[in-house]
Amino acid sequence: MKETLWEALALLARRDPDRARERNDSGFSQGDGPLGHYLVAVGPGCWSEAMTAAAARLVRRYRRQLEEAGLQGAVAVASARADDGNGGGTVEPVTVTASGDEVVVAFAAYDPARLSRFKVAVRRRRWDGEARVWRVPASEAREVLAWAEREKAHVAGAVAASSCSYRVEAAGAELMVRSPLELRLAVKALPGARWDPLARVWRVAPTPEARELARQHGLEWTEEAERAVAAEESRRARLRQASAALTSLERSPLEGVSLYPFQAAGVEYVLAADGRAIIADEMGLGKTLQALAVLEARQAYPALVVCPNLSGLGPRKWAGEAIRALPGRRVTILGEDGTVRVRLPGGGYRDVPANDPLAELSVVNYDRLPGWTEADPERRKRGALRPRPGTPLATLARRGLRGLVVDEVHYVKNHRALRTRAVEGMARGVPVKVALSGTPLLNRPAELIAPLTILGRLEDLGGFWMFVRRYCGARQGRYGLDLSGASNLEELNERLRETCYVRRLKRDVLPELPAKQREAVELEIADRQEYAAAEADTIRWLGERAAQDAEFLASIADLDPEEQQRLQRERRASAEAAAARAEALVRIGALRRLAARGKLPAVEEWVRALVEGGVEKLVIFAHHRDVQEALARRLHDLWVVRVEGGRAEANVEAVRRFQERGPRIAVVSLAAGREGIELTAASHVAFAELPWRPGDLDQAEDRLYGRLNDPHGVNSYYLLGRATIDVDMAELIDAKREVIDRAVDGRAGTSGEPILGALIGRLLARGGG
């Protein structure tokens, strides 16, 4: 009987989609519209006796329309219930029900006293003039229910809860929960919950949390729903295990390099996570190669890499890595002019075209993005930005971006920052998105909100409000919502690993890594003009000396070989030759000092980026005292300790403080690096200046390595001034180290003289001599 009446009301409801602003003999009238639509939405299975009587009354009132539509049976059923002239029951004067994300309060008739009490009790409310009901946000549900109890108002959801059976059904990859009012807030808090207004159900992901909610509230749990949740639990377990896995792929997707087994396992994890994940391995474990392997495995081209500037050389480093790992791919750097010369990780250089519109992999730094984007009129004021027409980003967007790599993703932790909104705009609709950071969570869980939004993963962890309530300790502060707290961190880590987060520590994979990993980092120098002038003067002087040597050799060319050798030995042993060698050493030393001073701002920026990226302790070696002092002064706020050569007693105390979880940065002279000190609290070392001999470098690196009870690898960085003598020295040291490593007697007794001669030869070649 109820179903027959419901069919009749549903027909009338379909005839007035505009909620019947006036009586027009089609559908409900304006006065009957709210009640009629409400009865249709609730459904006959949840009608109380009074609601059934109200339905019968409405059917009798619209008898003519229904009979014309062929629903005489419904009219007959309604007429049979007419026992007292008003439909066999009374219409509740006030009805409280749920509609989507709101609580709806409907007054059958105007009652000034009751309405006044309602307005006092419920402060957040709005009047819907078309539906002629009051709409209240879900956050005020408790106040509405308390008021309804005092007024003895009809709360449809509560009545329905005692007489209806609610089910959790499986529909594809989702669960459908048909819930009464008192369950709405609990259901909405489930991960990925969304309201389906057409089906009148809540759709949520098949999760153990949904099953637990059904158990707590006594909902009927179907076999299909149980199978869906079991599959989800199995998927989570696989991802949780894979997030720390050290297994390997059968074949690396990269052509130019091979992956370590743990790196291949990281690629497997990201692919299993639908190509949208954070690779948060500890620094030095090859996150760059893993990201490139993901792009290659998914063929996610064209792809965009967004990285920090790092003194203008961040994109160049990424381009060099991409060329080495993907030699068949077309790479470009955005925002440069003409061509860009990049250093390859294995040595040598390659010219890369800038702003190539057909490139498969484009690299850009964060600083470029705000100027290339603009507000999207379809989004809210503080929403994601879209590429501005005519910019390289707009060209990429038109081609259909398929891959995005966000390096050092903690750079976009502030969701209000322009660069964060620009990255969000580029990320929309991109199928493969990989975020990289050695420490994605720097201070508080709220810093994960923007990265998870970029990856499209925030909803998988319950959405914004559930995330901030559950993990950020959200509370209303003096200046708005305070998200500076942290809660349930172990649960957050587990949920991240089950969803989109892979992290391995160096100690877990050390057997697969070499004891020392070395990387040359080219930085821009601030005194380019001064250095260029000094280098030109040195090359001129060396050219003059070379011309004199050539003139001398020509003068003795007619003598017999033994006489020639005697005269050459005498010339080399002369005071004039010794003075010339000393002056050459002084001039080249002056170039080294200029390069060291010029790159100090870039070294400071690089060190701060390294520390912000998660490095707890760093040792910096330098040769000149003024360079050491300048570094300590620039980085003093990071808590710096000095270790100088020839100061044994002071060094013992400085090293003790550094080793015992004290200062984060140790600025050490290269001379002290040969004194047997132990700096094993750090696993990262940077050389702001290079020594003459490879053995001195090795000894300095060994200060950080070799603790037997807690061994760890060493990441060594050579900080070189771009296009300076630093680059020449690094290449010559590498060449000499390769020869020494092959020798049986190791590094003993190596001299700086051969490197000095090779440097002079390079400078002469650079000057055309």
Side-chain angles (χ1 to χ4, degrees):
M1 182 266 293
K2 292 182 180 181
E3 287 75 10
T4 303
L5 295 176
W6 181 86
E7 290 178 2
L9 296 184
L11 172 67
L12 296 171
R14 288 194 297 271
R15 289 186 172 185
D16 70 337
D18 61 346
R19 297 295 178 112
R21 296 177 181 175
E22 59 183 14
R23 188 184 296 272
N24 57 7
D25 295 328
S26 178
F28 293 118
S29 66
Q30 186 177 17
D32 294 333
L35 178 61
H37 281 276
Y38 163 68
L39 292 172
V40 171
V42 171
C46 296
W47 282 355
S48 65
E49 181 60 28
M51 295 165 72
T52 304
R57 178 179 60 80
L58 288 177
V59 169
R60 290 197 305 275
R61 173 173 293 182
Y62 295 95
R63 174 175 183 170
R64 181 180 59 79
Q65 288 190 50
L66 295 173
E67 288 180 344
E68 291 177 354
L71 296 180
Q72 290 84 356
V75 175
V77 169
S79 299
R81 289 187 56 88
D83 54 0
D84 62 356
N86 68 354
T90 59
V91 178
E92 301 291 344
V94 181
T95 302
V96 180
T97 185
S99 176
D101 294 339
E102 296 176 314
V103 177
V104 178
V105 180
F107 289 79
Y110 178 65
D111 185 338
R114 180 171 283 178
L115 180 59
S116 176
R117 291 193 294 271
F118 168 73
K119 290 181 177 180
V120 171
V122 183
R123 296 184 178 182
R124 296 182 61 194
R125 64 192 182 279
R126 67 181 179 87
W127 171 249
D128 185 341
E130 294 186 4
R132 303 194 66 77
V133 296
W134 288 95
R135 299 189 181 275
V136 182
S139 59
E140 304 291 319
R142 292 175 182 264
E143 287 76 3
V144 174
L145 292 176
W147 169 82
E149 183 177 358
R150 292 193 299 269
E151 296 290 331
K152 294 182 172 49
H154 176 65
V155 182
V159 174
S162 63
S163 59
C164 298
S165 175
Y166 292 93
R167 295 168 58 84
V168 179
E169 303 170 350
E174 297 177 311
L175 301 182
M176 298 188 300
V177 183
R178 302 180 184 275
S179 64
L181 175 62
E182 60 268 26
L183 287 182
R184 192 193 58 73
L185 290 178
V187 172
K188 184 179 179 182
L190 292 173
R194 60 184 177 86
W195 172 249
D196 185 341
L198 296 179
R200 308 293 297 176
V201 296
W202 282 93
R203 298 189 180 273
V204 300
T207 61
E209 292 84 0
R211 181 173 57 192
E212 178 62 19
L213 181 141
R215 185 191 65 78
Q216 291 176 358
H217 291 270
L219 303 183
E220 181 181 350
W221 189 262
T222 66
E223 293 182 1
E224 293 83 355
E226 179 60 31
R227 284 195 292 269
V229 173
E232 171 63 13
E233 284 183 315
S234 177
R235 187 190 70 84
R236 285 188 181 186
R238 289 196 305 271
L239 284 176
R240 189 166 55 247
Q241 184 177 6
S243 70
L246 308 179
T247 58
S248 63
L249 289 170
E250 295 182 2
R251 186 183 69 85
S252 169
L254 301 179
E255 297 179 18
V257 297
S258 60
L259 298 177
Y260 289 108
F262 76 89
Q263 292 173 331
V267 176
E268 284 184 355
Y269 177 90
V270 178
L271 297 178
D274 196 30
R276 296 178 291 125
I278 300 173
I279 301 178
D281 290 342
E282 195 174 15
M283 293 197 64
L285 297 188
K287 295 184 289 293
T288 298
L289 290 180
Q290 294 178 64
L292 292 172
V294 170
L295 295 178
E296 188 67 11
R298 283 292 184 90
Q299 295 294 294
Y301 302 108
L304 175 67
V305 175
V306 186
C307 63
N309 194 21
L310 288 179
S311 300
L313 298 174
R316 299 182 187 214
K317 178 183 174 183
W318 258 97
E321 291 279 4
I323 291 171
R324 178 175 71 112
L326 304 170
R329 295 295 179 185
R330 194 166 174 173
V331 179
T332 188
I333 296 178
L334 303 182
E336 300 285 349
D337 297 324
T339 60
V340 182
R341 194 183 190 206
V342 301
R343 180 186 178 91
L344 303 182
Y349 292 87
R350 179 79 60 84
D351 288 335
V352 174
N355 305 314
D356 183 356
L358 300 179
E360 295 164 289
L361 184 70
S362 302
V363 189
V364 66
N365 69 67
Y366 284 109
D367 299 337
R368 295 280 185 181
L369 296 183
W372 290 349
T373 53
E374 62 185 7
D376 190 338
E378 298 178 1
R379 297 276 170 167
R380 58 188 176 88
K381 182 178 179 181
R382 304 292 294 178
L385 303 176
R386 67 176 183 180
R388 179 174 296 165
T391 63
L393 294 185
T395 302
L396 271 176
R398 284 197 304 271
R399 291 177 60 194
L401 195 62
R402 292 187 50 79
L404 175 67
V405 177
V406 185
D407 191 17
E408 303 296 350
V409 73
H410 53 270
Y411 273 65
V412 291
K413 64 185 179 182
N414 182 359
H415 67 278
R416 293 187 178 91
L418 287 177
R419 65 183 175 194
T420 303
R421 296 164 59 196
V423 174
E424 286 181 9
M426 292 303 298
R428 286 197 305 234
V430 178
V432 177
K433 293 178 279 195
V434 183
L436 308 179
S437 180
T439 307
L441 182 61
L442 296 177
N443 297 303
R444 54 186 69 93
E447 294 174 359
L448 284 171
I449 293 175
L452 290 172
T453 301
I454 290 169
L455 294 176
R457 289 295 192 180
L458 189 59
E459 291 301 319
D460 295 334
L461 279 85
F464 176 82
W465 288 110
M466 178 182 174
F467 187 91
V468 298
R469 285 195 298 265
R470 186 68 181 164
Y471 305 120
C472 304
R475 61 185 181 85
Q476 194 65 33
R478 182 178 179 182
Y479 301 104
L481 193 63
D482 183 358
L483 304 180
S484 61
S487 56
N488 303 302
L489 295 184
E490 292 184 3
E491 176 188 316
L492 173 60
N493 181 268
E494 182 173 319
R495 292 289 293 116
L496 285 170
R497 288 184 177 275
E498 292 173 348
T499 307
C500 60
Y501 180 83
V502 56
R503 177 170 174 81
R504 281 75 53 89
L505 302 179
K506 188 177 295 184
R507 65 171 178 264
D508 299 329
V509 299
L510 187 61
E512 300 178 25
L513 294 174
K516 300 176 182 178
Q517 298 182 81
R518 299 183 174 104
E519 178 182 348
V521 180
E522 292 192 12
L523 303 174
E524 190 58 73
I525 63 173
D527 55 352
R528 175 64 65 185
Q529 291 184 350
E530 184 181 1
Y531 178 86
E535 184 181 74
D537 184 62
T538 300
I539 291 174
R540 179 190 56 76
W541 183 85
L542 290 174
E544 293 175 355
R545 294 296 307 172
Q548 293 174 11
D549 291 340
E551 184 178 348
F552 170 75
L553 292 175
S555 67
I556 64 174
D558 295 335
L559 301 177
D560 60 80
E562 291 185 2
E563 184 66 12
Q564 289 184 28
Q565 292 177 6
R566 184 185 65 79
L567 293 174
Q568 289 179 25
R569 284 195 300 268
E570 291 179 357
R571 179 179 173 83
R572 285 195 298 268
S574 66
E576 181 183 0
R581 285 194 299 272
E583 185 171 354
L585 191 60
V586 168
R587 286 178 175 269
I588 290 179
L591 288 181
R592 294 179 62 203
R593 177 170 287 191
L594 279 174
R597 290 175 177 173
K599 65 188 174 187
L600 280 174
V603 170
E604 178 188 358
E605 181 183 356
W606 181 88
V607 170
R608 292 186 182 278
L610 198 72
V611 171
E612 187 177 355
V615 170
E616 294 184 0
K617 285 182 178 289
L618 173 68
V619 177
I620 307 175
F621 281 101
H623 173 63
H624 293 98
R625 182 182 295 272
D626 59 336
V627 174
Q628 298 169 38
E629 293 174 350
L631 286 171
R633 186 171 58 254
R634 286 174 172 270
L635 301 170
H636 73 280
D637 59 305
L638 297 180
W639 199 359
V640 178
V641 66
R642 291 279 307 280
V643 181
E644 303 178 52
R647 297 179 56 188
E649 294 183 4
N651 287 346
V652 169
E653 176 61 20
V655 169
R656 184 192 64 78
R657 292 172 57 210
F658 184 77
Q659 291 287 92
E660 295 179 356
R661 303 184 62 82
R664 302 184 69 178
I665 307 293
V667 177
V668 186
S669 72
L670 282 167
R674 298 191 294 267
E675 294 178 357
I677 59 176
E678 186 178 89
L679 300 169
T680 53
S683 59
H684 297 264
V685 57
F687 291 90
E689 296 180 277
L690 298 178
W692 285 108
R693 297 177 296 183
D696 292 343
L697 278 173
D698 296 340
Q699 284 187 344
E701 291 169 345
D702 287 342
R703 301 307 102 207
L704 284 71
Y705 185 72
R707 186 165 50 176
L708 296 179
N709 62 337
D710 185 19
H712 59 70
V714 175
N715 288 83
S716 183
Y717 306 95
Y718 300 164
L719 307 182
L720 314 176
R722 186 180 67 83
T724 69
I725 199 169
D726 284 354
V727 177
D728 296 310
M729 286 194 65
E731 293 177 351
L732 291 170
I733 287 174
D734 284 344
K736 190 167 186 178
R737 175 186 279 133
E738 184 178 354
V739 174
I740 294 172
D741 288 346
R742 290 201 301 263
V744 176
D745 58 352
R747 301 169 174 79
T750 57
S751 170
E753 181 69 23
I755 287 185
L756 176 61
L759 273 178
I760 291 174
R762 287 194 171 205
L763 289 171
L764 286 172
R766 196 174 298 163

